[in-house]
Amino acid sequence: MILTVDDDPGVSRAVARDLRREYGEHHRIVRAESGPAALDALREIALRGEQVAVILADQRMPRMTGVEFLEQAMDLFPRARRVLLTAYADTDAAITAINVVDLDHYLLKPWDPPEEKLYPVVDGLLAAWRDAPDRPAAAIRIVGHRWSARSYELRDLVARNQLSYDFYRVDEPEGARLLEAAGADPEKLPVVITEDGTALVEPTDAQVVEAAGLSTTASTDVYDLVVVGGGPAGLGASVYGGSEGLRTVLVESRATGGQAGTSSRIENYLGFPNGVSGDQLTTRARLQAEKFGTEVITTRTVTALEPKGRARVVRFDDGSEITAHAVVLATGVSYRMLDSPGLEEHTGQGVFYGAAATEASSCAAQDVYVVGGANSAGQAAMNFSRHARKVTMLVRGPSLTASMSHYLIEQIDANPKIEVRTCTEVVAAEGTDHLEKLTLRDRNSGAEETVEASWLFVFIGAAPRTDWLDGVVARDGRGFVLTGPDIPASPEGRRPTGWDPDRDPFHLETSVPGVFAVGDVRAESVKRVASAVGEGAMAVSLVHRWLENG
């Protein structure tokens, strides 16, 4: 269904008429003339088990503004695409809608002609909704302890792989009923119950995604191009590799999207003036790569890379291997672990590394602490502020300006729910089965303070995932992969040790010919989504040069 709400009867009829004329054959057009009436309609639609694809709401309604309506509508149909209508450019309303209701589009009235101003917008939103439709029933049910680290890992795994799931606590009636029905032992948790009723007891990541229909093994032994890592850089390389006719496989150890995939909103990515969530961006990129024939395999960890003549052998943690003519390394970076006492044992039990989108709604009316001062931390703070009573950002440095984009700093400054504490670090954590207290230290005065805390999200540092490349490709002192002119020359000449081709390394090429590094894993790269995607695309053009000329 497509729902439109506007308090002006004439406008309401006009927009419904235009929508019905273009989309009435395949969609039911529902209109309402107030926010409360539209919410009643949505509740009835939900009770009938039907789906809403797009909601268009007027901002200037007397009883309930468009933003207020959309905020409540999100609870009923969270995947419905949201459009705000207004008779003039209301910048404040647009900014509020982007931050509060994850707005998809902002549309000025009148929209004449609809063929130019209305239908292209709705076409795009319907396509996006079809790529990630509402699911009336969860495909996967997870039963476990609320504060179990492994239960959290599985919830995060299925959520980041766009799999529909429900989580049931073992100490609640429905969780106990599911375990009994599955004949599972409540002492062996978590248990994953698949769509066909199969119970997986303490399953591995691969078992869960395989049961959901995702591929975890390569379909053949030889490829033109292997892309290791499914963040923006790896997805960029996969899209261009597939679109340019290379037999391409993307290997991801957990879920496509990388750190960017967990971002609640990326607002400075080219072509998305209203911003786009990392989840939306990377889901579309994966679908685009698959459309061009790229094979995607998930929950497979690459443990070794070995040059064999012109071939490049990639080995997995189970001992299997595939061979390629070229390899693109796009393994990204991981958040650095805090080593303060008490934090390690509470990882997944109130202490999380990254955005942990599965936990956001659980933070409702509670205090949340975010460690870090870069964009990822700021985006998470803005997202958590929609649910939490208060969000406190803990920043080691004297300000946010050195590491965070200006637009994000302005949003944080204007958000009354967010407090920024600079020159502050976490020095200890306490709790029984989950996090309960944090000890904070002022780095200037040395004064310490203990605060009640159940939620800590950490976004610090950038540790490259390159230990498995030790002795294979040249890396800098921090483990980042060196490429092109940054590779140190051998004592005998200006080219790397063991370099065979009669040319210098290409710009993104490592010390092993035919192996390229892109994105955050590359030394001195620009840590931004746009640059990572660009490097992924550029690497494919260099792969072609390698394949043609060596």
Side-chain angles (χ1 to χ4, degrees), residues 349-429:
Q349 302 173 344
V351 177
F352 304 95
Y353 290 86
T358 58
E359 304 302 307
S361 59
S362 300
C363 301
Q366 300 183 53
D367 293 342
V368 170
Y369 289 82
V370 174
V371 178
N375 279 9
S376 55
Q379 290 160 352
M382 290 295 298
N383 183 42
F384 288 128
S385 71
R386 294 169 51 186
H387 306 275
R389 176 173 54 200
K390 179 181 178 182
V391 178
T392 303
M393 296 188 66
L394 307 175
V395 183
R396 286 173 56 89
S399 73
L400 295 172
T401 55
S403 54
M404 188 177 292
S405 296
H406 179 68
Y407 80 89
L408 200 49
I409 295 175
E410 288 187 324
Q411 290 181 8
I412 289 170
D413 287 342
N415 192 319
K417 282 190 171 185
I418 300 178
E419 176 189 0
V420 180
R421 294 182 57 168
T422 56
C423 301
T424 304
E425 58 188 353
V426 178
V427 295

Side-chain angles (χ1 to χ4, degrees), residues 95 153 231:
I95 292 173
E153 289 174 356

Side-chain angles (χ1 to χ4, degrees), residues 57 75 100 119 126 132 168 187 209 257 308 321 324 337 484 495:
D75 295 332
V100 174
Y119 298 155
L126 288 172
Y168 300 90
E187 298 300 316
V209 298
K308 280 190 175 181
E321 62 183 42
M337 306 286 283
R495 289 175 179 156

Side-chain angles (χ1 to χ4, degrees), residues 340 425-430 437-441 448-451:
S340 302
E425 58 188 353
V426 178
V427 295
E430 303 174 47
K437 294 181 180 180
L438 291 173
T439 301
L440 311 179
R441 176 187 294 157
E448 295 188 356
E449 173 190 3
T450 299
V451 296

Side-chain angles (χ1 to χ4, degrees), residues 489-496:
S490 66
E492 297 79 21
R494 61 188 180 89
R495 289 175 179 156

